[in-house]
Amino acid sequence: MAEGRGSARAIGAMAFAVACCYCCVAIADAATTYYVGDSNGWSFSSPSWPNGKHFRAGDTLVFRYIPWIHNVVAVDEDGYNGCTTPPGSRTYTSGADSVTLARGDNFFICTRFGHCNLGMKLVVYAA
């Protein structure tokens, strides 16, 4: 029996190819979770942590730290540069905070004990 364009085998092969393409696109678009500072956690060495990494909007940053020593405040560029907390800034204090990156620069500071002024701040660019 000849197999033509409408054969079950041809339709099945086409469906498989479409499913494979869809899976590849879904995997490529999957967000990545990053642990700020890797094994060191959110600390004074965190400002250099993003170097060499490529972040995308929708990726998640997990900040791990000792809550009574540090916090994480998502700020704008002025807050980052001045180590201030502008109105509307989100403050995280759990010690295991997940933050989803927005497209562009994402700014974070620690406002405990003058830590930001001592360099505990982070900027992450997400494409």
Side-chain angles (χ1 to χ4, degrees), residues 2 5 29 42 48 77 114 120:
R5 290 175 126 173
D29 286 343
W42 172 230
S48 62
E77 187 172 7
M120 194 168 172

Side-chain angles (χ1 to χ4, degrees), residues 35-47 49 62-66 69-73 80 92 95 97 107-112 115-116 119-123:
Y35 292 85
V36 174
D38 298 318
S39 61
N40 294 325
W42 172 230
S43 66
F44 287 100
S45 63
S46 295
W49 171 79
V62 178
F63 290 83
R64 295 180 296 186
Y65 55 92
I66 300 170
I69 296 175
H70 301 299
N71 66 4
V72 177
V73 183
Y80 178 84
Y92 300 89
D97 306 306
F107 300 95
F108 305 96
I109 63 175
C110 176
T111 60
R112 298 258 168 97
H115 288 174
C116 180
M120 194 168 172
K121 55 187 183 174
L122 176 71
V123 60

Side-chain angles (χ1 to χ4, degrees), residues 11-21:
I11 292 171
M14 182 180 272
F16 178 76
V18 170
C20 286
C21 289

